[in-house]
Amino acid sequence: MTVMEFEKGPNRYFKNDDAGKLIGEVTFEQINDDSVIVIEHTFVNPAYRHQGMAAQLVQKVIDQARAENKLINPVCSYAKSMFIKTPELKDLWYKHN
């Protein structure tokens, strides 16, 4: 898998193609006095799927959460499936009742 470079915007990481068109992004918000990051949506343009972009986008949020000592609520179905399949993420998973 090729490691991709992403840009960071307000509450998102994203990648544009050379023409400036969005080809992938993950969006999130911070709640509970900014102690929890909610991953809301992951998008990859169909022409760029199956290259690991979605996983790398979610990983950027995971890295940010670890660096800032925050938990993650993966509302996005892709991010949630990643958390379910990856036991190493259990310590970051915010599960509210």
Side-chain angles (χ1 to χ4, degrees):
M1 173 173 40
T2 302
V3 176
M4 300 175 192
E5 295 294 321
F6 300 104
E7 294 181 60
K8 184 172 185 336
N11 295 321
R12 71 187 264 226
Y13 288 96
F14 65 99
K15 184 169 185 64
N16 292 332
D17 65 13
D18 293 336
K21 182 179 178 184
L22 181 69
I23 59 173
E25 77 174 339
V26 61
T27 60
F28 56 91
E29 68 173 313
Q30 298 192 43
I31 62 169
N32 291 2
D33 296 325
D34 290 341
S35 66
V36 177
I37 298 173
V38 179
I39 300 177
E40 299 172 323
H41 181 68
T42 305
F43 162 78
V44 175
N45 178 303
Y48 294 89
R49 291 185 182 161
H50 308 292
Q51 298 177 33
M53 186 182 298
Q56 289 183 52
L57 283 162
V58 172
Q59 187 63 49
K60 294 295 285 184
V61 181
I62 291 167
D63 293 346
Q64 178 179 331
R66 287 208 187 278
E68 296 174 357
N69 199 27
K70 296 180 180 184
L71 297 175
I72 295 177
N73 182 2
V75 172
C76 158
S77 60
Y78 180 85
K80 188 170 187 174
S81 71
M82 199 167 154
F83 270 69
I84 290 169
K85 295 174 187 175
T86 312
E88 296 82 14
L89 299 177
K90 183 179 179 182
D91 64 315
L92 288 179
W93 197 344
Y94 173 78
K95 295 181 182 179
H96 64 283
N97 294 323

